[in-house]
Amino acid sequence: DIFGGRGTLLGTFLGVLLLSSLREALVLLHVAAFWQNVVTGGIVLLGVLLSAETRSRKINLQESASA
């Protein structure tokens, strides 16, 4: 989470494994370096957006539970 969330060693390892496997697959498929970067950046962006959405839902649930 870019707002000071928590991460785990396992989550970091799985993220690195996913991105490096994806990069290797794109190399084997002879995808141009530009598109490799676009795909990798898209995956990272998707992860950040999902994290922000999850954080937002948690906050909304906590606010509605305390009201």
Side-chain angles (χ1 to χ4, degrees):
D1 191 335
I2 61 173
F3 299 108
R6 297 183 198 178
T8 63
L9 187 58
L10 178 62
T12 301
F13 175 75
L14 292 175
V16 168
L17 184 65
L18 171 74
L19 288 175
S20 60
S21 296
L22 180 65
R23 178 68 63 135
E24 287 299 316
L26 293 173
V27 167
L28 290 173
L29 292 170
H30 303 290
V31 175
F34 171 79
W35 291 110
Q36 290 177 23
N37 290 332
V38 168
V39 170
T40 302
I43 296 292
V44 171
L45 183 60
L46 182 65
V48 170
L49 292 173
L50 287 173
S51 176
E53 177 65 24
T54 303
R55 184 173 191 265
S56 174
R57 286 185 184 203
K58 280 183 183 179
I59 290 171
N60 289 340
L61 285 173
Q62 288 173 352
E63 287 175 354
S64 64
S66 65

